[in-house]
């Protein structure tokens, strides 16, 4: 029996998670998926109930689970709180506590949505990239960090980019393993011409690559990678990179596919336990209105099935069900194209479940 911790969070989080849970329940009831769901509070919702965004019981629930399904956290109501109590802090703490060092963000263009991209259809048609971003190290966590006052009286801000070889190796290895079940290509993105730390990154990639002779490896400077992603994105299969570069490049890649409401993510630890969440936030502007696109969260369930629950066939079924809902002409407001009918969160979720049942 796999334990799944469900953390709906704030804003549209509960609405999109409810649809993803319906998908999981359908797989449990009709496809013999052995799962047990347990709910917890996180983010602003947890702050309201317990005075902190990541209560001890939520952390314990997540630690005991094989996988965590998360909606989104944050919203204007909690923006004035001290940094340590802000909803977004809970996410960083959770990733860190669970040792989720590998963040997987696919950028896949569903053919039905080719016209939703800002790039020409022929540039993005068939796009299927996976960005593997290091998630718990690098400049976001490096010490020392801060703002100090110099002898001159001027203030100076500073952060530290640090990676040990083992931190690089574990995420790079994960990228090579995943490339083996895809198109056998890894592009490592660094800034080795300027930053010593990423020179070590490149050396480590070259060393690890020797163990994967069936995977073609390339190296690219981050500035070029940013350009290539919009010039000719289909040249990429798996991209592996640091926390900071991955943060930026994965948002850029996400936009190639049209809507933020379509993009799932997975964050994995050493033993493939994972946190699965849509890449979007809590969208306070549309929260509570049954308008949000639940497909990114439903596709996060597909990633959960593939990476933590080891049910690749069911993952494919969920992805096919999403595709069928799009084929049937259903579009939530974010995918509005002036041609198809615009439907609610609930209706889109129902259509995916109906396709799964068929
Ligand atoms: P956002 O992703 O919440 O919203 C950006 C825009 O995209 C909004 O116009 C929103 O309506 C739209 N959008 C997002 N998801 C959608 C969906 N599923 N369907 C349809 N439209 C969708 O980003 P933001 O506005 O910058 O942030 C809002 C709040 O979310 C902030 O408090 C921020 O800190 C938080 N946030 C949380 C996460 C997370 O929980 N992982 C990620 C990003 C932002």
């Amino acid at each position: 029996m796999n334990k799944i911790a469900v953390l709906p969070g704030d804003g549209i989080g509960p609405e999109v998670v409810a649809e993803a849970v319906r998908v999981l329940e359908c797989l449990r009831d009709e496809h013999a998926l052995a799962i047990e769901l347990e709910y917890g509070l996180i983010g602003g919702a947890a702050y309201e109930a317990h005075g902190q965004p990541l209560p001890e019981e939520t952390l314990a629930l997540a630690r005991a689970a094989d996988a965590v399904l998360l909606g989104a956290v944050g919203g204007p109501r909690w923006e004035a709180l001290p940094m340590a109590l802000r909803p977004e802090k809970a996410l960083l703490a959770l990733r860190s506590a669970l040792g989720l060092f590998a963040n997987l963000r696919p950028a896949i263009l569903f053919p039905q949505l080719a016209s939703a991209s800002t790039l020409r259809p022929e540039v993005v048609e068939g796009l299927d990239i996976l960005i593997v971003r290091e998630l718990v190290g690098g400049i976001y966590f490096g010490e020392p960090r801060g703002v100090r006052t110099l002898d001159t009286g001027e203030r100076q801000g500073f952060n530290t980019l640090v990676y040990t070889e083992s931190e690089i190796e574990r995420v790079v290895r994960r990228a090579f393993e995943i490339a083996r079940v895809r198109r056998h290509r890894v592009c490592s993105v660094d800034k080795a011409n300027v930053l010593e730390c990423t020179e070590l990154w490149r050396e480590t990639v070259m060393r690890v690559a020797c163990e994967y002779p069936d995977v073609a490896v390339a190296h690219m400077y981050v500035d070029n990678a940013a350009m290539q992603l919009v010039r000719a994105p289909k040249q990429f299969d798996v991209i592996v990179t640091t926390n900071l570069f991955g943060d930026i490049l994965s948002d850029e890649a996400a936009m190639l596919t049209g809507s933020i409401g379509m993009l799932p993510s997975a964050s994995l630890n050493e033993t493939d336990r994972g946190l699965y969440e849509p890449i979007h936030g809590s969208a306070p502007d549309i929260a509570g209105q049954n308008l949000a696109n639940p497909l990114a969260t439903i596709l996060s369930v597909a990633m959960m099935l593939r990476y933590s629950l080891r049910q690749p066939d069911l993952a494919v079924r969920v992805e096919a069900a999403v595709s069928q809902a799009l084929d049937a002409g259903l579009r939530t407001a974010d995918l509005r194209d002036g041609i198809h009918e615009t439907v609610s969160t609930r209706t889109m979720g129902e259509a995916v479940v109906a396709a799964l049942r068929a």
Side-chain angles (χ1 to χ4, degrees), residues 12 16 70-75 79 88 91 260-261 277-286 291-293 334:
I12 61 170
V16 293
L70 186 122
V73 295
E79 265 164 20
E88 293 80 356
L91 261 189
I260 196 168
E277 55 178 326
I279 71 156
H280 60 71
S282 58
D285 52 334
I286 56 167
L291 284 176
N293 184 347
D334 55 307

Side-chain angles (χ1 to χ4, degrees), residues 139 161 163 168 187-203 205 218-227 239-246 248-249:
I139 198 164
L161 172 60
Y163 273 116
I168 302 169
C187 178
S188 168
V189 173
D190 60 41
K191 191 71 183 169
N193 52 342
V194 179
L195 301 171
E196 288 82 352
C197 182
T198 68
E199 207 176 356
L200 178 68
W201 179 282
R202 186 175 285 215
E203 278 173 33
V205 173
H219 303 272
M220 202 177 269
Y221 297 137
V222 63
D223 40 349
N224 186 24
M227 185 175 75
I239 292 176
V240 62
T241 191
T242 64
N243 203 342
L244 171 65
F245 296 162
I248 299 165
L249 293 181

